[in-house]
Amino acid sequence: HLHIASSYLTSPKGYIFGFLTFGPLSEKFGRKWPMICGIAISSILELMPALGTNIQTVLVGRLFAGFFGISPVAVMGGITSDCFTLAHRSIAMPIVICLFFSGPTLGPIVGSAIVGSSLSWRWTVWVMLISGLGVCAIAVFVFPETYPPAILRKEARSLRKKYKHLAIHSTLEKENPGLYEIARVYLMRPFCAS
């Protein structure tokens, strides 16, 4: 039981750095793909605690699963501001926050039901892995992009293809920084500012 408790204490440490990474990335690449990729990678990393035979594997798996798994929470504030006007955000944001807190509220109940059954504690991790990948598979087809500059970028690509006019570019495309600049502006700046 000590192993289980310590493995779940490492996940919040990953959350801290995940917030500082996925929020800024959603300003560059849009809301959809950072969120879906974060959930998918987090779900795959759950294989480490699900199959791990020592505490180190479980702890590292939980740490990085927490880092990538926080992506929906880090991006959801942006999605809410994209979808709702300032007047309606005061209603939408509490609902979104309630949905996020329903996970930590209901998770221990579901987890204790799994551990109390004939299944092993590892099935708490398998359930997260299966549900995470399942949600990602659905979201790829169903979840729309909400970030206006990313929508304009997609529209610009479509117009370039349709009219064969290479001068049509969106604001995000005009930035077009290299990998170093993306890392400096979108990944390092939040750590320096915090």
Side-chain angles (χ1 to χ4, degrees), residues 16-169:
I16 295 165
F17 295 107
F19 268 112
L20 295 172
T21 303
F22 285 98
L25 284 178
S26 75
E27 298 290 321
K28 172 64 182 164
F29 299 105
R31 315 288 189 210
K32 179 177 182 174
W33 293 111
M35 184 174 69
I36 291 175
C37 291
I39 297 169
I41 294 169
S42 173
S43 300
I44 291 166
L45 286 168
E46 294 290 359
L47 285 169
M48 291 177 73
L51 302 173
T53 55
N54 57 46
I55 188 65
Q56 293 85 356
T57 306
V58 174
L59 290 175
V60 169
R62 290 296 299 157
L63 176 71
F64 286 105
F67 174 81
F68 288 100
I70 200 68
S71 62
V73 181
V75 173
M76 192 52 70
I79 292 172
T80 306
S81 66
D82 295 341
C83 296
F84 296 94
T85 62
L86 194 57
H88 293 101
R89 275 181 223 157
S90 60
I91 299 167
M93 196 54 95
I95 294 169
V96 168
I97 291 168
C98 285
L99 290 172
F100 280 129
F101 279 105
S102 67
T105 304
L106 299 175
I109 297 169
V110 174
S112 64
I114 291 169
V115 172
S117 70
S118 58
L119 300 171
S120 77
W121 67 268
R122 291 180 191 267
W123 269 96
T124 58
V125 183
W126 283 110
V127 166
M128 289 190 294
L129 188 151
I130 294 164
S131 60
L133 290 178
V135 165
C136 286
I138 294 167
V140 165
F141 300 105
V142 173
F143 189 78
E145 179 58 66
T146 62
Y147 188 48
I151 295 169
L152 289 174
R153 179 179 56 201
K154 185 178 178 182
E155 186 66 26
R157 287 176 183 163
S158 155
L159 290 172
R160 269 199 310 271
K161 189 176 181 182
K162 182 177 179 181
Y163 295 112
K164 308 279 193 274
H165 197 286
L166 299 177
I168 300 172
H169 291 287

